Amino acid sequence: MQGDEGPTGPTGPTGPTGDAGPQGPAGAEGATGPTGPTGDAGPAGATGAEGPTGPTGPTGPTGPAGVTARTISTAAFTSGDTPLTTSLAAEDTTGNLRYVGNAVSGQSTNDQVPGAQIVLPAADMKYAVTLPAAGRLKEVYADYVVTALEQFTRTARLYVRLYTAPAGSLTFTYLEGSDFPLSPAVSGSVPAGTVLAGNTALDAPVNAGEKMLAIVYLGSDDTGDEESLSGVVSLSTVVEV
């Protein structure tokens, strides 16, 4: 006869882990997380190709008319290699006239009034310049280079004056307002090589073929010893035609 069942024995040790079962199905997608911070700007891309030229714009308004160009003609004088000497007497404040290249005998620089005339000997016509075109005498420029040392006891200045004569005439008439001084004034010791220069503006009508004579003379505000000055002259005129 079988006896009664004995009490349950103690639990035995845990057996080893069994093999993993197959992966279960994926769970539902979770909610979208918040947007992350903006990243740093990337490097600039390459420059794109130049686009096509746009259409030509409308023509702008016409600008103002330009200044009309001047047509000019010039006449030049020179004394060449021969020094021209002009003097100033002790009792005078204006000296004797000298035209470029020779002396004008018996002429006085007081003949500055309109109509004062010089009758030039035919042999001396070579010292007058013939104007090539009709127009208006606008400008005169002159310089005088001293060729010998001079000593002045008073302050003096060299002046230029113009005379004109019609074509074919030997009678030259003073061109009113054409006197102008050369600078600087001279006083004391005036060495060779000193340059005196000056210019003036005029607006005198002239004709083609008309002749022009250039005169130089010394002038001073004071009387004193006799003074003289020797040098070579270069002078040019501008005629607007």
Side-chain angles (χ1 to χ4, degrees):
M1 178 176 76
Q2 185 175 357
D4 296 331
E5 184 176 335
T8 302
T11 301
T14 302
T17 300
D19 296 332
Q23 182 174 337
E29 184 175 334
T32 301
T35 301
T38 301
D40 295 333
T47 301
E50 184 176 342
T53 301
T56 301
T59 302
T62 301
V67 177
T68 302
R70 291 198 311 170
T71 301
I72 63 172
S73 173
T74 61
F77 298 80
T78 179
S79 59
D81 297 329
T82 303
L84 182 153
T85 301
T86 182
S87 60
L88 185 61
E91 69 279 7
D92 290 341
T93 55
T94 52
N96 60 340
L97 299 179
R98 290 290 186 270
Y99 59 82
V100 176
N102 206 337
V104 179
S105 301
Q107 295 299 322
S108 167
T109 52
N110 294 322
D111 294 338
Q112 297 183 39
V113 296
Q117 295 180 330
I118 294 175
V119 179
L120 197 65
D124 288 342
M125 283 298 287
K126 60 187 177 183
Y127 300 118
V129 171
T130 301
L131 298 177
R136 302 194 75 83
L137 178 62
K138 287 292 190 178
E139 296 161 283
V140 185
Y141 299 83
D143 59 41
Y144 183 98
V145 181
V146 177
T147 55
L149 173 66
E150 303 287 356
Q151 297 291 337
F152 277 73
T153 60
R154 48 180 159 162
T155 299
R157 192 178 288 275
L158 195 68
Y159 291 85
V160 173
R161 179 190 299 171
L162 299 179
Y163 287 75
T164 59
S169 174
L170 299 178
T171 302
F172 288 77
T173 301
Y174 166 63
L175 183 61
E176 186 176 3
S178 65
D179 292 70
F180 65 96
L182 304 187
S183 295
V186 292
S187 62
S189 178
V190 183
T194 300
V195 178
L196 313 178
N199 66 283
T200 190
L202 297 168
D203 188 26
V206 292
N207 297 308
E210 191 170 344
K211 295 186 180 298
M212 184 175 294
L213 189 65
I215 298 294
V216 296
Y217 64 94
L218 278 172
S220 176
D221 292 334
D222 305 309
T223 58
D225 294 341
E226 181 175 350
E227 317 281 11
S228 65
L229 193 65
S230 295
V232 291
V233 185
S234 176
L235 182 145
S236 62
T237 63
V238 175
V239 177
E240 189 175 295
V241 299

